[in-house]
Amino acid sequence: MSTFDRRRFIGSGVAAASAAALGAPLRVFAQSGEIVIGAAPPITGVFAFAGAGLHAGLGDWVEWKNAQGGIAGRKLRYVAEDSSYKVDQSVAIFKKIVAQHKPPVFYGDSTGWAKAIAPEVSQLGSLLATGPSFSSDLADPAKAPYYFMPGPTYSGQIEILLEHASRSAAGATKPSVAFVYSDTEFGRDPIAAGKAKAAKLGIPVVLEIITKPGAVDVSAEMIKLRRAKPDFVIFHGYVLAPIPEFIRQMREAGLSSRGMGTIYSMDKTTIDQMGAVGAGFLGVMPYRYSFDSQKTATMELIREVGSRKPGNPWQTTFYTQGWLVGMIFDQVIGRTLSAKKELTGPNMKAALESINKWDTGGIFGVPISLKSHAIPVGRTYLVTGKSIEPASDWITIG
Amino acid sequence: MDWLLLAEFSIVGLLSGGVLALIALGFVLVYKGTRVVNFAMGEFMMVGAYLFWTTHVFLNLPWWVALALTLVGIALLGAVVERFVLRPLAGQPVISIVMATIGLGAVLHGVAEAVWGGANLSLPQLLPRTPFMLGEILVPGQVLWSFALAVALIAGFTAYFHYSKGGVSMRAAASDPVTAYAMGIDVRGTQRRTWIFAGVTGAVAGVIVASMTSLSPTLGTVALGVLAVIILGGLDSIAGAIVAGLIVGWLESITVAFVGGQARDLVPYLVVLVILMVRPYGLFGTRDIERL
Amino acid sequence: MRIGDFHASYRHDEALFDTRVQRAWFAVLVVALLAFPFVGGAYFVYLACLLGIHLISAAGLNIMTGYTGLISLGHAAFMGVGCYTVAVAERAGIPFYLALPLAGCASAVIGLVVGVPSLRIKGLYFAVATLAAQFVLGFVFREWESVTGGVRGANVPAASLFGFELAGDQRIYFLIVPLAVVMLLGARNLFRTRVGRAFIAIRDRDISAEVLGISLFHYKLLAFAIGSFYAGVAGGLWGYFFRVATPELFGLPLSVFYLAAIIVGGLGSILGTILGATFMTMVPELLRAMVGWAQALGVQDASVFLASIRQVVFGLLIVGFLIFEPHGLAEMWRRVRRFFHLWPFRT
């Protein structure tokens, strides 16, 4: 006797149960007039150190903005769910929030997510997406018209580092550089552009090391590094490990190479974990640090609002980034609404591209414009024994 | 051919293989004692390293106290796992046991992530770091000392199995449980002890790996490569585990030298595929004879 | 109590639907499935599509592992092969109705390549061989940039039927769900044939099967190839559904997910496949809902634990079912059915 006649029971039973279980509490639609800001930040998982700050920053900005009366008189609602830095989860969360709340803006979790939802975003034509990814693939208004990034691309960041390396050479000989990066999209993205820029500056790239992301035994790679003797080692595509181990082993092998890092290696919490070996590490950070000696309006506001909640990671650059994303949303939505236009993709894209010489109140040291849907501004910093000091002025690339 | 370079890579590779051999020992112990391949070995390593972090870094206890507490904790975990997960599944087909250990691994992974978070933690440097110079060749201190530690532990275990009553009874129970029962050996007890030893081995290996790299819930993935290692050596041979660990450590280093870091993790699996085609029971394993 | 259900011929005995009542129910199911995307919410349609993909893949795995006894830890990699094949095929302009079978065949071929050396060994060793295949294929996905796009992944355009684009969950539903029904029926039918019975014989006692004249190697290879074909088709559908193929999507965790699905559902039964895949797809949703309620009730930061809770529940489900209900949900269902069949007599 076959079992097919039971299929319907099971199928309808499961469907009914899940409909009952899920339908009821989650079918909460945004009240009319409310603007929903959707997000799928990586609050847990390998990117948790950043995701928690991003989530807190954006959420707190929404609260603050509502206390100020919202955007053009409309209140905001922040709907976010943890994606654990997994693309299938962030895509699922995106679809769910879009289906239920129809947000005009969305903050995701990775390059993979951005690419996966790009076709749907184009088809919907009703939202603008952003996320913590600074991949140059996404800073392309032709290929990704409804995506923007709140900072310079990884290629741009490496360009800033290479410029710094080039300028640091006293004499005529250019310093040599080695690239150490992880075998992920995050890691590989800027390397080709970085090598091209190094060639243009006349900087020899003496070694390229690719490792697995995260903790890995670097003894074998060190053998190559020891022979190459680069002046600078640019690390990219890592959260923290294995940068400290590389630097420690470099010192033990007698190498005096300086380490350099990109945005996600340069938060103070990460630098602190490096301990003593971090001294002398250089990096690029697009935003002002919360402990910067120069007091600015927005950073003071962040301090005031963020420190109200105990345990809030307001000091991290990720919180700053989340806050900045909120401010950009404010600009985009505000400009669209004040031009009496609907919150559609093309309208918001136009509003985004109209942001020119905008003063962020201190997050960036110079007024910014959105070029190619990215903000090509940053500053190099030097890690000293005590703190992270600026090592250059604010640089605008390109 | 830069012989010096090759020599340096080879030596570093062989020495790094020491820790792999230690992990392999954990796998082989469990297989010899209970005919189960423990897919959760990586998670045992990870939990051991986290326990050590908690006692040493978080509670600031001196390292030998922390280590002792860690080993006690892992021993407890091993005993609990044996009693509540493996014993009810005794006699079940292979797929059930494999999946049970995989499921156990997932539970441990989830608990670790919930308790300690997903971020990377650092363990302080436990092994002396001063590099060792062999002429022109630089051997990182940690690699050398981890090898020495692994050798010491493996030697200790081998001595235990050959010369102590407990060890001999474990071997007896593993090879023929019925006769062992008849001789009055507590077979259940030896199985429990097998799991405890495997857990302890894994914990020590985990602490070593974590102090050389960093600590996160994904620490356990290195154990999957080691699983490939023991296939090479033979699932039930301790000597095979050691040899295979060294070989794979050497191969990984050579791969980094001539191919690149991205292929490094692939090496154990390629080795497995080759070995399975040529000598499925490994270099030193005993051939399984199936009877109807 | 069921009475009056007599079989008068072999054909009748073997039939998948042998009573008019069953056929009626099946017709109702078909109608319900056709109507669902118009009445269900957008998110449920998304879940239904995802479930369809999981069903096809789990069916393939069940054919390999549940019915033939070949433990495969590399199922996700074969799905990846299918997904990338579809990406490449679409780039070459091949429409979906050719690309999907092509994806299945590509996976089947890779399955043969992996199977030929591995199927001479059994059980655990074979499982480790499939694990090795998983990692080797993962490496190929990451490094073969010219074909797979490397770590960037490959974008997959929407499936289009003579210009009509199957973009959006509602439309792709009508590709995925009918295909899932057809393939499940096919799998069920497979085990009415000689080939299917050979698979079952190999699982139960392969030495005896060989004595009876079943060529072990050939049938095992066939089982592996069929299972990989299903995986390839499921992977291809995944490509059309998610529109992107990246190496991380097809890693070991996904393989373990499918193994868990068939174990929880019940090895060696298509009903088990359906129950298991549905259960494993719904559990994360239920957990998310529970976390949502917990957060609404004031438990702060409950969502932070969702990821870990999901892992723990996943592992506990596997271990729990293995210890307490080794034949899975299908067996639980059969017990309930038996109770009602035999009522008012005792089971």
Side-chain angles (χ1 to χ4, degrees):
Chain A
M1 182 84 71
S2 94
T3 58
F4 263 45
D5 52 336
R6 304 302 167 194
R7 255 221 218 155
R8 194 207 166 248
F9 266 77
I10 303 146
S12 50
V14 168
S18 40
L22 302 172
L26 294 177
R27 214 165 272 279
V28 183
F29 288 98
Q31 294 141 17
S32 61
E34 221 179 38
I35 301 176
V36 173
I37 297 184
I43 306 177
T44 61
V46 288
F47 232 52
F49 75 112
L54 293 162
H55 171 64
L58 189 51
D60 285 356
W61 177 85
V62 168
E63 265 185 52
W64 172 81
K65 191 70 187 175
N66 273 341
Q68 309 293 312
I71 303 181
R74 291 167 71 168
K75 291 284 191 183
L76 304 168
R77 199 147 78 93
Y78 180 55
V79 179
E81 225 181 283
D82 172 33
S83 78
S84 288
Y85 201 58
K86 295 205 177 84
V87 173
D88 49 339
Q89 266 179 253
S90 44
V91 169
I93 296 170
F94 174 78
K95 290 190 188 233
K96 194 162 81 148
I97 295 183
V98 164
Q100 285 178 351
H101 301 284
K102 310 224 180 322
V105 287
F106 202 96
Y107 187 87
D109 77 338
S110 60
T111 319
W113 168 83
K115 289 190 179 165
I117 55 143
E120 191 166 331
V121 169
S122 295
Q123 200 201 9
L124 281 172
S126 64
L127 66 76
L128 212 58
T130 180
S133 166
F134 294 104
S135 166
S136 38
D137 263 4
L138 297 169
D140 187 339
K143 275 199 280 182
Y146 301 118
Y147 190 89
F148 73 91
M149 54 185 71
T153 58
Y154 296 128
S155 316
Q157 295 174 29
I158 295 204
E159 272 185 45
I160 295 180
L161 289 174
L162 286 170
E163 285 278 357
H164 184 102
S166 171
R167 282 181 225 157
S168 74
T173 38
K174 293 288 185 178
S176 58
V177 139
F179 285 111
V180 176
Y181 56 99
S182 72
D183 189 19
T184 57
E185 168 132 44
F186 174 26
R188 282 183 183 247
D189 175 65
I191 301 299
K195 288 201 281 195
K197 178 75 178 185
K200 218 164 60 163
L201 288 171
I203 297 179
V205 177
V206 292
L207 187 58
E208 251 184 80
I209 293 182
I210 313 176
T211 76
K212 200 176 63 148
V216 65
D217 180 18
V218 302
S219 326
E221 276 81 353
M222 272 309 302
I223 300 176
K224 289 197 268 188
L225 205 54
R226 198 165 70 95
R227 279 171 170 69
K229 295 201 201 345
D231 294 304
F232 290 99
V233 179
I234 297 185
F235 295 99
H236 177 70
Y238 300 111
V239 164
L240 172 66
I243 302 179
E245 187 58 29
F246 261 113
I247 299 184
R248 267 185 223 118
Q249 289 208 20
M250 286 192 323
R251 300 284 172 262
E252 281 158 15
L255 285 176
S256 55
S257 322
R258 313 269 308 271
M260 290 176 125
T262 53
I263 176 178
Y264 286 117
S265 322
M266 285 307 288
D267 186 63
K268 187 148 195 306
T269 49
T270 317
I271 296 285
D272 281 347
Q273 286 197 48
M274 276 205 222
V277 285
F281 195 79
L282 285 157
V284 61
M285 172 54 71
Y287 316 123
R288 193 182 296 272
Y289 283 102
S290 58
F291 48 82
D292 195 296
S293 48
Q294 196 184 354
K295 301 277 174 236
T296 56
T298 310
M299 298 308 292
E300 286 302 304
L301 178 61
I302 288 177
R303 174 193 301 268
E304 197 210 302
V305 173
S307 51
R308 282 187 211 148
K309 293 186 196 157
N312 207 18
W314 65 268
Q315 302 99 321
T316 63
T317 50
F318 315 114
Y319 190 94
T320 311
Q321 192 188 127
W323 191 276
L324 173 67
V325 167
M327 289 172 66
I328 299 179
F329 285 160
D330 182 21
Q331 288 292 308
V332 166
I333 297 177
R335 289 179 190 214
T336 312
L337 289 177
S338 56
K340 303 269 188 290
K341 294 219 186 103
E342 288 272 314
L343 287 174
T344 64
N347 292 344
M348 289 192 285
K349 174 170 179 282
L352 182 78
E353 286 161 0
S354 74
I355 296 179
N356 196 17
K357 301 222 185 330
W358 172 46
D359 183 5
T360 52
I363 294 184
F364 290 100
V366 295
I368 56 156
S369 324
L370 256 95
K371 249 188 246 163
S372 232
H373 289 210
I375 305 178
V377 172
R379 194 154 65 155
T380 41
Y381 285 86
L382 175 66
V383 177
T384 63
K386 301 206 184 51
S387 179
I388 309 179
E389 304 289 326
S392 76
D393 212 345
W394 290 94
I395 307 172
T396 308
I397 333 159
Chain B
M1 164 63 72
D2 188 349
W3 293 110
L4 195 58
L5 192 66
L6 183 63
E8 189 163 352
F9 274 111
S10 301
I11 294 181
V12 171
L14 281 171
L15 293 177
S16 314
V19 181
L20 295 178
L22 194 60
I23 304 173
L25 178 67
F27 274 115
V28 166
L29 281 177
V30 170
Y31 189 80
K32 264 177 94 93
T34 58
R35 305 286 295 182
V36 168
V37 172
N38 179 15
F39 276 86
M41 178 57 98
E43 275 73 23
F44 273 94
M45 284 171 61
M46 185 251 299
V47 170
Y50 268 114
L51 283 176
F52 185 76
W53 181 88
T54 312
T55 46
H56 186 50
V57 175
F58 193 68
L59 297 175
N60 248 311
L61 300 167
W63 70 265
W64 45 274
V65 175
L67 191 63
L69 285 174
T70 304
L71 295 181
V72 166
I74 286 292
L76 223 68
L77 179 65
V80 164
V81 161
E82 192 275 330
R83 174 66 186 84
F84 291 108
V85 176
L86 275 311
R87 208 178 295 171
L89 293 173
Q92 296 283 341
V94 166
I95 182 176
S96 301
I97 317 272
V98 164
M99 280 309 291
T101 55
I102 292 179
L104 175 67
V107 172
L108 290 174
H109 189 120
V111 168
E113 231 183 82
V115 174
W116 288 287
N120 274 322
L121 299 168
S122 333
L123 276 183
Q125 309 300 310
L126 296 166
L127 300 163
R129 288 200 63 113
T130 39
F132 206 68
M133 297 300 293
L134 266 163
E136 272 290 304
I137 297 176
L138 183 137
V139 177
Q142 286 194 314
V143 172
L144 186 65
W145 286 104
S146 69
F147 180 76
L149 191 58
V151 164
L153 276 171
I154 294 176
F157 270 116
T158 317
Y160 176 77
F161 283 125
H162 277 274
Y163 301 117
S164 85
K165 188 157 170 230
V168 173
S169 61
M170 277 171 81
R171 283 164 57 208
S175 66
D176 191 348
V178 179
T179 314
Y181 265 119
M183 300 293 280
I185 294 174
D186 176 13
V187 173
R188 290 235 172 101
T190 61
Q191 289 188 336
R192 187 168 46 236
R193 242 176 300 144
T194 306
W195 273 87
I196 291 178
F197 282 150
V200 161
T201 320
V204 172
V207 169
I208 296 176
V209 171
S211 75
M212 280 171 66
T213 60
S214 84
L215 179 57
S216 79
T218 54
L219 186 83
T221 48
V222 70
L224 284 175
V226 176
L227 186 53
V229 167
I230 60 170
I231 298 284
L232 170 62
L235 274 174
D236 56 352
S237 157
I238 294 184
I242 300 168
V243 168
L246 294 176
I247 291 179
V248 176
W250 179 79
L251 274 174
E252 281 190 356
S253 189
I254 298 296
T255 310
V256 169
F258 296 108
V259 179
Q262 68 272 38
R264 182 208 194 130
D265 277 348
L266 186 64
V267 166
Y269 300 109
L270 284 176
V271 168
V272 164
L273 285 175
V274 168
I275 274 293
L276 284 172
M277 284 192 266
V278 174
R279 252 186 99 96
Y281 293 104
L283 295 169
F284 299 103
T286 47
R287 191 180 164 76
D288 247 353
I289 300 175
E290 223 181 304
R291 300 195 161 83
L292 276 179
Chain C
M1 182 160 71
R2 172 175 281 185
I3 53 170
D5 189 14
F6 305 118
H7 298 297
S9 67
Y10 279 124
R11 181 141 182 244
H12 196 196
D13 194 26
E14 278 186 346
L16 285 176
F17 302 111
D18 42 3
T19 64
R20 237 181 298 156
V21 177
Q22 276 187 12
R23 283 183 225 133
W25 276 126
F26 190 64
V28 172
L29 174 71
V30 169
V31 169
L33 287 175
L34 283 172
F36 182 69
F38 302 107
V39 296
Y43 191 58
F44 287 111
V45 177
Y46 165 81
L47 280 179
C49 293
L50 191 63
L51 181 60
I53 296 174
H54 285 326
L55 279 173
I56 298 178
S57 196
L61 188 60
N62 220 343
I63 292 175
M64 265 198 282
T65 305
Y67 284 101
T68 321
L70 307 168
I71 310 170
S72 171
L73 287 166
H75 205 64
F78 291 107
M79 283 181 74
V81 171
C83 196
Y84 279 110
T85 307
V86 154
V88 170
E90 282 285 337
R91 231 181 287 161
I94 302 176
F96 76 90
Y97 44 85
L98 291 175
L100 279 175
L102 187 65
C105 291
S107 278
V109 165
I110 301 287
L112 288 173
V113 168
V114 169
V116 165
S118 322
L119 283 166
R120 282 174 289 157
I121 39 162
K122 288 179 51 168
L124 196 57
Y125 295 93
F126 180 73
V128 177
T130 57
L131 183 67
Q134 166 81 51
F135 283 104
V136 170
L137 284 169
F139 180 80
V140 169
F141 295 154
R142 272 201 313 277
E143 302 297 325
W144 200 9
E145 283 205 32
S146 51
V147 169
T148 66
V151 285
R152 286 213 155 79
N155 281 319
V156 182
S160 61
L161 189 61
F162 308 113
F164 179 70
E165 268 206 359
L166 288 172
D169 295 343
Q170 273 224 345
R171 293 187 195 171
I172 201 88
Y173 175 95
F174 287 105
L175 173 62
I176 297 180
V177 170
L179 198 56
V181 170
V182 165
M183 291 188 86
L184 281 171
L185 274 173
R188 184 71 183 83
N189 202 40
L190 180 66
F191 295 101
R192 293 196 300 167
T193 64
R194 184 170 193 279
V195 170
R197 286 197 295 272
F199 290 167
I200 298 175
I202 294 174
R203 176 194 67 196
D204 288 341
R205 239 338 170 204
D206 53 351
I207 299 180
S208 309
E210 194 161 29
V211 166
L212 287 172
I214 295 172
S215 161
L216 282 186
F217 186 62
H218 286 119
Y219 278 101
K220 280 188 187 177
L221 212 53
L222 189 60
F224 203 61
I226 294 177
S228 309
F229 180 85
Y230 272 69
V233 171
L237 285 173
W238 184 290
Y240 284 122
F241 183 54
F242 274 97
R243 305 286 295 278
V244 74
T246 60
E248 293 94 45
L249 284 172
F250 301 109
L252 186 61
L254 189 63
S255 292
V256 172
F257 172 81
Y258 285 116
L259 274 174
I262 63 169
I263 286 185
V264 163
L267 289 167
S269 88
I270 296 299
L271 175 64
T273 310
I274 299 171
L275 289 175
T278 313
F279 191 70
M280 296 303 285
T281 312
M282 289 304 162
V283 162
E285 300 301 317
L286 242 92
L287 282 177
R288 202 179 287 157
M290 287 200 315
V291 163
W293 290 328
Q295 205 143 28
L297 287 170
V299 178
Q300 282 288 30
D301 281 335
S303 61
V304 176
F305 292 109
L306 179 60
S308 353
I309 290 177
R310 198 179 302 130
Q311 280 251 302
V312 173
V313 166
F314 180 73
L316 283 176
L317 276 176
I318 298 177
V319 174
F321 267 93
L322 282 169
I323 296 180
F324 298 112
E325 190 65 76
H327 294 284
L329 290 169
E331 181 59 31
M332 287 168 100
W333 176 254
R334 278 185 218 123
R335 265 209 300 271
V336 169
R337 207 182 61 156
R338 210 166 27 235
F339 178 79
F340 284 106
H341 275 188
L342 295 174
W343 186 86
F345 302 112
R346 285 198 170 193
T347 48

